[in-house]
Amino acid sequence: MPSVINTFARIMAKAAGMTLTDDGSLLANGTVVLRLPRAVDGLTADTDYFDLIDWIRKGQPDEVALVEAYASLIQTDDLGVLGLAIKTAPTLRVSLQRVERYFRLITDTAVYQLIEEGDTALWTFQGQTLHRAALELRNECALAGFAQNMRRFVGPELSLRSVTFSHACRCDPDRYAAHFGCPVFFDADQNSIQLD
């Protein structure tokens, strides 16, 4: 069964102002509002994770704020041994190549690919599960988290050329552009970050 590291579920809950406990209880202001099956060996079934995203989404009036919160919270240290491999890489290119090669250590629900053509690099995010509404928010959070962490490594001089999502925009597209600091396009062929 496809799965994700439970860290993603915890950070999604925290981004929404809630806490996900070890026993699978989602707490809002100290009250249990949802119960998920307990994570096994640090992994959560993909369906449980996507159900959590769906549930959080329905209660959030501002999805862009949720994406921004998730991106600010997720750190490479949250990714275990993969995070260490990312942090110890000598360049951003090598960091991304390590993610491309080893991301399956933390989930088999998506893959990343680095495509380099001339002076442009495309960092793509491809889902490996059947489509459902939760994946749109998951994809936005995933690319926002990577953009944030790339800037942490490289610094403010990192310039993104564009960001694309394969789904339709559900919120104000200008807010996504403001968050990413570049043009953001929806209904595109793929989920990607384009950079130099």
Side-chain angles (χ1 to χ4, degrees), residues 150-171:
M150 285 191 279
R151 286 194 173 104
R152 286 182 185 126
F153 292 144
V154 176
E157 64 270 17
L158 178 69
S159 176
L160 306 182
R161 287 187 178 186
S162 66
V163 173
T164 63
F165 293 107
S166 59
H167 58 271
C169 187
R170 300 176 312 279
C171 304

mmCIF file of all heavy atoms in Angstrom, residues 150-171:
data_model
loop_
_atom_site.group_PDB
_atom_site.id
_atom_site.type_symbol
_atom_site.label_atom_id
_atom_site.label_comp_id
_atom_site.label_asym_id
_atom_site.label_seq_id
_atom_site.Cartn_x
_atom_site.Cartn_y
_atom_site.Cartn_z
ATOM 1 N N MET A 150 14.994 25.611 -1.040
ATOM 2 C CA MET A 150 16.048 25.985 -1.994
ATOM 3 C C MET A 150 16.568 27.374 -1.671
ATOM 4 O O MET A 150 17.771 27.630 -1.732
ATOM 5 C CB MET A 150 15.519 25.916 -3.429
ATOM 6 C CG MET A 150 15.379 24.505 -3.954
ATOM 7 S SD MET A 150 15.074 24.418 -5.741
ATOM 8 C CE MET A 150 13.318 24.731 -5.806
ATOM 9 N N ARG A 151 15.656 28.274 -1.313
ATOM 10 C CA ARG A 151 16.086 29.635 -0.945
ATOM 11 C C ARG A 151 16.900 29.624 0.348
ATOM 12 O O ARG A 151 17.820 30.429 0.510
ATOM 13 C CB ARG A 151 14.882 30.554 -0.818
ATOM 14 C CG ARG A 151 14.299 30.930 -2.158
ATOM 15 C CD ARG A 151 13.335 32.106 -2.048
ATOM 16 N NE ARG A 151 12.935 32.541 -3.369
ATOM 17 C CZ ARG A 151 11.759 32.275 -3.922
ATOM 18 N NH1 ARG A 151 10.852 31.592 -3.253
ATOM 19 N NH2 ARG A 151 11.476 32.694 -5.132
ATOM 20 N N ARG A 152 16.560 28.732 1.269
ATOM 21 C CA ARG A 152 17.349 28.627 2.503
ATOM 22 C C ARG A 152 18.776 28.210 2.199
ATOM 23 O O ARG A 152 19.713 28.661 2.849
ATOM 24 C CB ARG A 152 16.704 27.628 3.463
ATOM 25 C CG ARG A 152 15.459 28.124 4.131
ATOM 26 C CD ARG A 152 14.900 27.100 5.113
ATOM 27 N NE ARG A 152 13.644 27.564 5.657
ATOM 28 C CZ ARG A 152 12.510 26.877 5.640
ATOM 29 N NH1 ARG A 152 12.478 25.661 5.125
ATOM 30 N NH2 ARG A 152 11.409 27.383 6.144
ATOM 31 N N PHE A 153 18.951 27.306 1.219
ATOM 32 C CA PHE A 153 20.287 26.833 0.872
ATOM 33 C C PHE A 153 21.070 27.857 0.081
ATOM 34 O O PHE A 153 22.216 28.138 0.372
ATOM 35 C CB PHE A 153 20.205 25.552 0.027
ATOM 36 C CG PHE A 153 19.696 24.354 0.781
ATOM 37 C CD1 PHE A 153 18.905 23.424 0.151
ATOM 38 C CD2 PHE A 153 19.996 24.149 2.107
ATOM 39 C CE1 PHE A 153 18.424 22.316 0.817
ATOM 40 C CE2 PHE A 153 19.529 23.060 2.795
ATOM 41 C CZ PHE A 153 18.745 22.135 2.146
ATOM 42 N N VAL A 154 20.446 28.389 -0.956
ATOM 43 C CA VAL A 154 21.145 29.253 -1.901
ATOM 44 C C VAL A 154 21.168 30.700 -1.421
ATOM 45 O O VAL A 154 22.133 31.419 -1.637
ATOM 46 C CB VAL A 154 20.495 29.149 -3.297
ATOM 47 C CG1 VAL A 154 21.145 30.109 -4.280
ATOM 48 C CG2 VAL A 154 20.565 27.718 -3.808
ATOM 49 N N GLY A 155 20.098 31.129 -0.783
ATOM 50 C CA GLY A 155 19.993 32.508 -0.341
ATOM 51 C C GLY A 155 19.037 33.286 -1.221
ATOM 52 O O GLY A 155 18.465 32.757 -2.177
ATOM 53 N N PRO A 156 18.866 34.560 -0.922
ATOM 54 C CA PRO A 156 17.888 35.377 -1.638
ATOM 55 C C PRO A 156 18.221 35.582 -3.114
ATOM 56 O O PRO A 156 17.375 35.999 -3.894
ATOM 57 C CB PRO A 156 17.903 36.706 -0.876
ATOM 58 C CG PRO A 156 19.211 36.741 -0.166
ATOM 59 C CD PRO A 156 19.573 35.311 0.111
ATOM 60 N N GLU A 157 19.459 35.267 -3.502
ATOM 61 C CA GLU A 157 19.808 35.452 -4.921
ATOM 62 C C GLU A 157 19.199 34.383 -5.822
ATOM 63 O O GLU A 157 19.214 34.520 -7.043
ATOM 64 C CB GLU A 157 21.332 35.484 -5.110
ATOM 65 C CG GLU A 157 22.059 34.204 -4.756
ATOM 66 C CD GLU A 157 22.499 34.137 -3.292
ATOM 67 O OE1 GLU A 157 22.000 34.906 -2.467
ATOM 68 O OE2 GLU A 157 23.348 33.296 -2.996
ATOM 69 N N LEU A 158 18.636 33.314 -5.235
ATOM 70 C CA LEU A 158 17.970 32.300 -6.051
ATOM 71 C C LEU A 158 16.728 32.912 -6.680
ATOM 72 O O LEU A 158 15.858 33.436 -5.995
ATOM 73 C CB LEU A 158 17.569 31.089 -5.207
ATOM 74 C CG LEU A 158 16.819 30.006 -5.984
ATOM 75 C CD1 LEU A 158 17.747 29.316 -6.972
ATOM 76 C CD2 LEU A 158 16.199 29.004 -5.047
ATOM 77 N N SER A 159 16.660 32.837 -7.988
ATOM 78 C CA SER A 159 15.537 33.413 -8.710
ATOM 79 C C SER A 159 14.794 32.301 -9.442
ATOM 80 O O SER A 159 15.383 31.575 -10.244
ATOM 81 C CB SER A 159 16.060 34.447 -9.712
ATOM 82 O OG SER A 159 14.998 34.950 -10.476
ATOM 83 N N LEU A 160 13.516 32.170 -9.145
ATOM 84 C CA LEU A 160 12.679 31.210 -9.849
ATOM 85 C C LEU A 160 12.125 31.894 -11.094
ATOM 86 O O LEU A 160 11.681 33.037 -11.038
ATOM 87 C CB LEU A 160 11.532 30.740 -8.960
ATOM 88 C CG LEU A 160 11.900 30.177 -7.588
ATOM 89 C CD1 LEU A 160 10.650 29.712 -6.856
ATOM 90 C CD2 LEU A 160 12.912 29.056 -7.697
ATOM 91 N N ARG A 161 12.122 31.189 -12.210
ATOM 92 C CA ARG A 161 11.567 31.754 -13.438
ATOM 93 C C ARG A 161 10.047 31.638 -13.463
ATOM 94 O O ARG A 161 9.362 32.556 -13.877
ATOM 95 C CB ARG A 161 12.144 31.045 -14.658
ATOM 96 C CG ARG A 161 13.575 31.383 -14.948
ATOM 97 C CD ARG A 161 13.992 30.778 -16.263
ATOM 98 N NE ARG A 161 15.361 31.130 -16.588
ATOM 99 C CZ ARG A 161 15.930 30.821 -17.731
ATOM 100 N NH1 ARG A 161 15.263 30.161 -18.660
ATOM 101 N NH2 ARG A 161 17.173 31.170 -17.971
ATOM 102 N N SER A 162 9.553 30.471 -13.053
ATOM 103 C CA SER A 162 8.111 30.270 -13.015
ATOM 104 C C SER A 162 7.797 29.014 -12.218
ATOM 105 O O SER A 162 8.672 28.190 -11.961
ATOM 106 C CB SER A 162 7.524 30.137 -14.430
ATOM 107 O OG SER A 162 7.994 28.954 -15.042
ATOM 108 N N VAL A 163 6.527 28.901 -11.837
ATOM 109 C CA VAL A 163 5.999 27.702 -11.186
ATOM 110 C C VAL A 163 4.735 27.329 -11.938
ATOM 111 O O VAL A 163 3.953 28.213 -12.327
ATOM 112 C CB VAL A 163 5.688 27.960 -9.691
ATOM 113 C CG1 VAL A 163 4.973 26.767 -9.063
ATOM 114 C CG2 VAL A 163 6.971 28.289 -8.930
ATOM 115 N N THR A 164 4.542 26.036 -12.166
ATOM 116 C CA THR A 164 3.339 25.579 -12.856
ATOM 117 C C THR A 164 2.649 24.478 -12.052
ATOM 118 O O THR A 164 3.307 23.695 -11.368
ATOM 119 C CB THR A 164 3.655 25.036 -14.269
ATOM 120 O OG1 THR A 164 4.500 23.878 -14.159
ATOM 121 C CG2 THR A 164 4.317 26.086 -15.121
ATOM 122 N N PHE A 165 1.331 24.461 -12.165
ATOM 123 C CA PHE A 165 0.524 23.390 -11.565
ATOM 124 C C PHE A 165 -0.414 22.855 -12.635
ATOM 125 O O PHE A 165 -0.946 23.609 -13.450
ATOM 126 C CB PHE A 165 -0.283 23.924 -10.374
ATOM 127 C CG PHE A 165 0.578 24.328 -9.215
ATOM 128 C CD1 PHE A 165 0.765 25.662 -8.916
ATOM 129 C CD2 PHE A 165 1.202 23.373 -8.427
ATOM 130 C CE1 PHE A 165 1.566 26.043 -7.840
ATOM 131 C CE2 PHE A 165 2.009 23.747 -7.364
ATOM 132 C CZ PHE A 165 2.188 25.081 -7.069
ATOM 133 N N SER A 166 -0.645 21.555 -12.601
ATOM 134 C CA SER A 166 -1.488 20.944 -13.628
ATOM 135 C C SER A 166 -2.976 21.084 -13.336
ATOM 136 O O SER A 166 -3.796 20.806 -14.198
ATOM 137 C CB SER A 166 -1.127 19.463 -13.795
ATOM 138 O OG SER A 166 -1.296 18.767 -12.590
ATOM 139 N N HIS A 167 -3.330 21.554 -12.142
ATOM 140 C CA HIS A 167 -4.743 21.715 -11.801
ATOM 141 C C HIS A 167 -5.173 23.181 -11.963
ATOM 142 O O HIS A 167 -4.337 24.071 -12.111
ATOM 143 C CB HIS A 167 -5.016 21.241 -10.363
ATOM 144 C CG HIS A 167 -4.195 21.966 -9.347
ATOM 145 N ND1 HIS A 167 -2.944 21.546 -8.948
ATOM 146 C CD2 HIS A 167 -4.446 23.100 -8.634
ATOM 147 C CE1 HIS A 167 -2.469 22.372 -8.038
ATOM 148 N NE2 HIS A 167 -3.350 23.331 -7.832
ATOM 149 N N ALA A 168 -6.474 23.394 -11.915
ATOM 150 C CA ALA A 168 -7.023 24.753 -12.003
ATOM 151 C C ALA A 168 -6.783 25.495 -10.689
ATOM 152 O O ALA A 168 -6.698 24.883 -9.624
ATOM 153 C CB ALA A 168 -8.520 24.698 -12.304
ATOM 154 N N CYS A 169 -6.690 26.794 -10.774
ATOM 155 C CA CYS A 169 -6.483 27.622 -9.585
ATOM 156 C C CYS A 169 -7.794 27.740 -8.805
ATOM 157 O O CYS A 169 -8.838 28.036 -9.373
ATOM 158 C CB CYS A 169 -5.982 28.997 -10.000
ATOM 159 S SG CYS A 169 -5.505 30.040 -8.614
ATOM 160 N N ARG A 170 -7.726 27.520 -7.493
ATOM 161 C CA ARG A 170 -8.901 27.613 -6.629
ATOM 162 C C ARG A 170 -8.942 28.925 -5.856
ATOM 163 O O ARG A 170 -9.916 29.212 -5.177
ATOM 164 C CB ARG A 170 -8.921 26.443 -5.628
ATOM 165 C CG ARG A 170 -8.955 25.082 -6.273
ATOM 166 C CD ARG A 170 -8.864 23.972 -5.239
ATOM 167 N NE ARG A 170 -7.797 24.155 -4.267
ATOM 168 C CZ ARG A 170 -6.521 23.863 -4.462
ATOM 169 N NH1 ARG A 170 -6.134 23.381 -5.620
ATOM 170 N NH2 ARG A 170 -5.630 24.063 -3.523
ATOM 171 N N CYS A 171 -7.866 29.691 -5.902
ATOM 172 C CA CYS A 171 -7.758 30.928 -5.124
ATOM 173 C C CYS A 171 -7.258 32.043 -6.048
ATOM 174 O O CYS A 171 -7.233 31.880 -7.256
ATOM 175 C CB CYS A 171 -6.786 30.724 -3.966
ATOM 176 S SG CYS A 171 -7.218 29.348 -2.869
#
